[in-house]
Amino acid sequence: MAYANECVSYKITPKITISNPSWTKEVVQPLEPMDLWHGNVIATMVDNYDIVADITSIEDGFCVGIKQVDAEIGYSEFLVQVDIRHKPNTCSYDAVLMHEDQHIREYLSVIDDYNKDLHDALYSAADSVMPIFVREVDDIDAAIEKINDKIQSFPELILVKQKIKADEEIRNKRIDKTNNSTMLKKCFE
């Protein structure tokens, strides 16, 4: 009879790949004037993990481990809101749009800056997961889902994602502080 600890010998070193999604930008104008802002960017971050399992048939069941993790981490969509008080194709509209584009560049830059940290954390997470024993073929998908959950809840990976969010916040505040509507003010001189 096979036991769960027999799967340990089937653990292999996982291969890790991380790609950034292609992204789109949509510019809209809310129907009502925006409070306090001339514009805003809403960034949609994707964080998807595709687990390629290593499945080994053993006595009384299967060992399900990780062969490879293909991750897609980054921004897929940017929704730029420009206050309705700025009419399209005007100096003020273009100034707000240029400012919001600076924010988008920073979002993308943060992900680039953290790619190695993300890769290392994802590797540590995947390498820490031991193969799981299941008795039935029908239980393999649930085992893969459990592996995925273990990876995503790995403290080092969570910490890197928190650092990304903190860095985004710092950079966005820096843009707003340094820019301080300089381009917009020039439109009304």
Side-chain angles (χ1 to χ4, degrees), residues 29-42:
Q29 288 192 286
L31 296 176
E32 299 292 323
M34 297 171 68
D35 292 336
L36 304 176
W37 294 319
H38 292 283
N40 188 40
V41 173
I42 300 171

Side-chain angles (χ1 to χ4, degrees), residues 3 5 35 65 83 93 98 111 113 130 140 182 188-189:
Y3 297 98
N5 63 356
D35 292 336
D83 192 300
Y93 181 92
M98 283 176 47
I111 290 297
D113 292 349
M130 292 297 137
I140 291 173
T182 307
F188 300 104
E189 291 178 345

